[in-house]
Each structure stands twice: as C-alpha cells, then as structure tokens.
Amino acid sequence: QVQLVESGGGLVQAGGSLRLSCASSGSIFSINDMGWYRQAPGKEREFVAGISSGGSTVYVDFVKGRFTISRDNAKNTVYLQMNSLKPEDTAVYYCNADIIRENGGGMNLWGKGTLVTVSS
C-alpha cells in the first residue's frame, strides 16, 4: 500500500533545530506537490510549507527565514529543516502529498504526524 511516514520530531529547547522527514513508499509512479502542515493543541491544522514537483517553494509567514522545505525525488521524500524554533512551533507536524500511483490513479495522502515540542 502507498503510505507516508514522518520522522524526526522530538523535544528541543527554544532556539534549537530539528529536521523532519516524510518518506513515501508503495507503488508510486510520481509525486506532484508535497507539503507540511501542523496542528497545535486546541487549534486547527494549518499550512506550513509546500514544494512543487519542480522545486518551487512557498512558506507561511510565521516560518519564513527559519524553516526550509526540500525534496529528494529519487527517494520520494520531503524534508522540513526547522531552525530557531520557538515554543509556539509546538505541534504535531503532518506531511501531505499528491501521488500518482503506478496504475495511473491519483490520490492525496496524509501521514500520521510527528510531534515537535519546543521548550522555553
């Protein structure tokens, strides 16, 4: 089956860094847009960063200059490098991808999330 699995979350002090990874696996032909979202306690899930198949990126204002999204098309993996972390970055981070399966079918897929906790 096709799936996305996030990793790299954990506990870090304010000002520290983490690198999240989202690996896709299964019968994948190609992946179009990929992105990272997050959901903080008591809040709705929100967009953080996105990257197209061609490498174009977009970021929400509150992470610009601190986070960097990238992808390795050969590995079907997307990354989120998070620097200068703040307590307000604490959330469950989810990856999302538009996938074309080897059988030609398309699907939008979410990972199960990885928890990032930033202490003050």
Side-chain angles (χ1 to χ4, degrees):
Q1 61 181 21
V2 177
Q3 62 178 359
L4 302 177
V5 180
E6 302 98 334
S7 63
L11 175 64
V12 64
Q13 292 185 326
S17 298
L18 286 173
R19 189 193 191 210
L20 306 184
S21 298
C22 177
S24 59
S25 62
S27 57
I28 298 170
F29 177 75
S30 65
I31 303 177
N32 294 326
D33 293 346
M34 302 185 75
W36 288 95
Y37 295 72
R38 69 187 186 186
Q39 187 167 16
K43 295 188 176 182
E44 299 296 318
R45 189 174 299 185
E46 63 185 356
F47 173 81
V48 176
I51 186 167
S52 72
S53 60
S56 297
T57 60
V58 61
Y59 300 91
V60 71
D61 285 344
F62 55 76
V63 306
K64 286 182 178 177
R66 299 189 298 122
F67 292 8
T68 302
I69 188 171
S70 61
R71 65 191 289 166
D72 185 334
N73 290 330
K75 297 180 179 179
N76 287 330
T77 299
V78 63
Y79 306 94
L80 186 67
Q81 178 66 47
M82 305 185 294
N83 299 325
S84 301
L85 283 162
K86 304 175 180 179
E88 51 263 44
D89 293 319
T90 295
V92 176
Y93 284 72
Y94 300 88
C95 64
N96 177 265
D98 291 322
I99 294 172
I100 306 299
R101 299 174 66 184
E102 289 183 345
N103 65 7
M107 63 186 300
N108 182 266
L109 192 64
W110 290 93
K112 292 184 177 181
T114 185
L115 177 63
V116 172
T117 303
V118 184
S119 63
S120 60

